[in-house]
Amino acid sequence: MSNSVTVRVPATTANLGPGFDCIGAALTLYNEFKFTRLDPPQPPLAKGGLRISVTGMEADRVNTDESNLAYQSFLKLYQQIDQTPPPVEIEINLGVPLARGLGSSATAIVGGLVGANWLAGSPLAQNEVMGLAIALEGHPDNVVPALVGGCRLAASNGTDWEICDIPWHENIIPVVAIPDFELSTAEARRVLPAEYSRADAIFNTAHLGLLLRGLETGKGDWLKAALQDKIHQPYRQALIKGYDAVKEAALVSGAYGMVISGAGPTLLALADASLAPKVATAMGNAWKEQGIKLEVLALQIDSQGAKISI
């Protein structure tokens, strides 16, 4: 077996409006993690036999010591299988922006676990790796699609997770507008209320059900209604400068709707394939008029999830 493995992990968008903390989709935007077993150890290595290098966007902001999230996840898997982790070199190439609501932390968790599992001889099945990923992240909506791809709904059955594949109609294009400012998940969660009314709970339950059918069928009227939410977006949108202007631009240009991707600040519109370029341009212009620098991408749903190459 080779001493080296590369894991490509897709970005994810979570929540999709009413699916707070339970639904997410993998996108065609990626981080790559290459793990090389160093045997015997090759200097210079950090404490514990570790060397990390990072390239790509915002590379200088990623920790290259033992606190690196991919390495922490790498260690977690070896702890789970009760083996001593080998000295390792980790080469990270970033294509997913940090702290923007596109699952960058989930890519590191999944990358570290999958890389470690492969180097250890694949002792854990995919569902076991998934359980570790959910435990590390704290909720399933990003790590599950990052690992297995597609759009996924995760529900706890008490002690384990049931993962449901959500069909995504090929004509529905996710358009992401990624601003040059950040919004931490912790900050985005602080603004949420501790309790919700029965009416709000019923509202989100109904709209999540409609969203699942809308994604499957591509029926525009269903999607326009389904993307509404009363659990997290009304409280978070004030944290995102220019939110109202970007949403109006997306809707006027033909999008079915616009939601906050994950905890934000990236904004995600769903649009028919024929209108996606127009929606992307409109969202970009609206934020630029607010003085915000950004990148707008019309993406696809990644169906593979974490992919290994040797």
Side-chain angles (χ1 to χ4, degrees), residues 124-134 147-148 160-161 163:
L124 299 187
Q126 186 183 72
N127 67 316
E128 294 174 301
V129 174
M130 184 184 299
L132 286 177
I134 294 172
L147 178 63
V148 299
D160 205 348
W161 292 90
I163 308 300

Side-chain angles (χ1 to χ4, degrees), residues 13 17 19 28 73 76 112 126 128 131 138 154 176-177 179 187-188 205 209-210 219 307:
T13 182
T28 50
S73 303
K76 182 67 175 179
Q126 186 183 72
E128 294 174 301
V176 292
E187 181 182 2
T205 301
L210 186 62
K219 189 171 181 177
K307 184 177 180 181

